Structure formats: C-alpha cells, structure tokens
Amino acid sequence: MKLDRIDIRILAELQKNGRISNVELAELVNLSPSPCLMRVKKLQSEGFITGYSAQIDVAKLGQTLTVFTEITLRNHRPIDFSRFLTTIEKIDAVVECHLVSGGYDYLVKFVTAGISEYQAIIERLIELDIGIDKYFTFVVLKSPIVKSHVPLDSIFTA
C-alpha cells in the first residue's frame, strides 16, 4: 500500500490523539467521515496502525527509576543475538530494546521501582549466561523532552 498525504495526515493526527472521533478526524484531514473511516481501517489492516494505548504518567504511580543500559555480547553469531532477545523480551521492566551500531550491541531501556530492582534484573541476566560480555548503566535523572510521536510530515514525502 502506497501512502498519500491524507493517509500521513490521518496517522499524524492519530499519533497525537488516538481517542479522536472519526468525525473529528475526518474534519481535520478534510474528508467526509465514511471515506476517513475506510482509510483508517485500511491503515490498520495493512499494519501501519499497530494499536492504541494510553500514555501513563508513571511518576504519579510512585517512585520509579528509568535506566538506559548499553550491552555488549561476547559473541556475534545469530544464535547469540536470538538467545539474548528471547530472554530480554520476557522482562516486564524492559520497555525498549534497540540493536545499535557503534561500540556496543544493544541499548536497553528499563523502568523499575528502584535501583535494587534494576540491579537484581542485571544480576539475573548475568547468571543466566545469555552471552552478555559487559554492560554500562545510565540512570535517568530527568526527562525534559519525551515525545510519543514521530514527525511523519517531515520524514514522509508522497
């Protein structure tokens, strides 16, 4: 499916407000409600829209700790990457995991109740012997900018 400017505008608006009514969305993208709904359903069925969720202010829930961890694996065979990912994806505290270029293999974002929970997770990962050679931990002190949307209009050209 090739996206046009209207599809991109629909996606951009849904990123900002996934609870917007179809009538409001149609108005914002200059369509009538029926064609707008058809486009949204098509974007869903084609996998461009993968789901809807609420953004939670975790700080209001109690004390939390956000940690970014650079992880380097001992070996770099496909089986080593697979074993690492299979294990890490089962950890609820892992909210992001990125395979990156540069001096390490993965950048992992953890959100935990505190430093002792984070340390227990890391110690458990080391004990499991899933191929971690070394890791570096960066504790987030403050997050002055956090965006939940990507700039679709500037990265997409129809």
Side-chain angles (χ1 to χ4, degrees), residues 1 7 22 28 36 61 69 76 88 121 133 145 155:
M1 173 179 178
D7 294 324
N22 182 59
L28 287 172
C36 183
L61 300 174
T69 305
H76 294 95
I88 205 93
I121 292 168
D133 182 37
I145 300 172
I155 60 175

Side-chain angles (χ1 to χ4, degrees), residues 47-101:
F48 289 97
I49 298 171
T50 58
Y52 297 89
S53 64
Q55 296 171 12
I56 309 297
D57 183 351
V58 292
K60 290 193 178 278
L61 300 174
Q63 184 179 359
T64 60
L65 178 74
T66 300
V67 177
F68 286 94
T69 305
E70 297 173 349
I71 296 175
T72 303
L73 300 181
R74 265 191 307 275
N75 298 304
H76 294 95
R77 301 168 301 190
I79 189 80
D80 299 307
F81 289 103
S82 178
R83 181 179 54 217
F84 174 79
L85 286 175
T86 299
T87 303
I88 205 93
E89 72 184 353
K90 295 175 186 167
I91 300 170
D92 286 339
V94 172
V95 295
E96 293 180 22
C97 179
H98 306 273
L99 177 63
V100 295
S101 63

